Amino acid sequence: MNFDNVASYQADATTKRPRPVFTCDMAKKITAPTLLSNAERSPPVFHLVIDQLERCLANRERVEIAASSHTVPWENPDAYDRAVLAFMEKH
């Protein structure tokens, strides 16, 4: 997967263009039901991102997938699928 993304990694690392900014006010405008997911062993920075989104999104649910890290769909696909399908059934 990383090899497939080499070109985008290189472009991101060498661009002089500023990264687009996504603010809490922008997130507050999202009204669609949103599923926020973390993996139990995700790097801490991903938990911080989801923490902030959870504060900003009004119509959100959060799940943490056990026994996995950042590549949760590959590491614990059954638990991930159950979480996503349960969310979709509700909405």
Side-chain angles (χ1 to χ4, degrees):
M1 183 171 57
N2 284 331
F3 285 125
D4 291 342
N5 292 315
V6 166
S8 62
Y9 294 153
Q10 289 174 326
D12 190 49
T14 59
T15 186
K16 302 270 190 264
R17 295 172 47 187
R19 291 180 174 268
V21 175
F22 183 75
T23 67
C24 189
D25 286 337
M26 294 165 81
K28 288 178 181 179
K29 294 178 183 176
I30 297 171
T31 59
T34 305
L35 179 63
L36 302 173
S37 66
N38 274 114
E40 181 179 22
R41 297 185 316 266
S42 286
V45 68
F46 294 111
H47 290 275
L48 295 173
V49 170
I50 297 300
D51 290 346
Q52 185 63 40
L53 283 170
E54 189 173 28
R55 284 190 285 277
C56 298
L57 292 167
N59 192 9
R60 75 339 191 184
E61 293 178 35
R62 184 174 182 166
V63 297
E64 182 172 277
I65 308 299
S68 58
S69 62
H70 186 56
T71 56
V72 67
W74 292 273
E75 292 179 50
N76 195 346
D78 292 336
Y80 183 77
D81 290 351
R82 280 192 304 276
V84 171
L85 291 172
F87 177 81
M88 291 173 68
E89 284 178 15
K90 288 167 61 175
H91 303 282

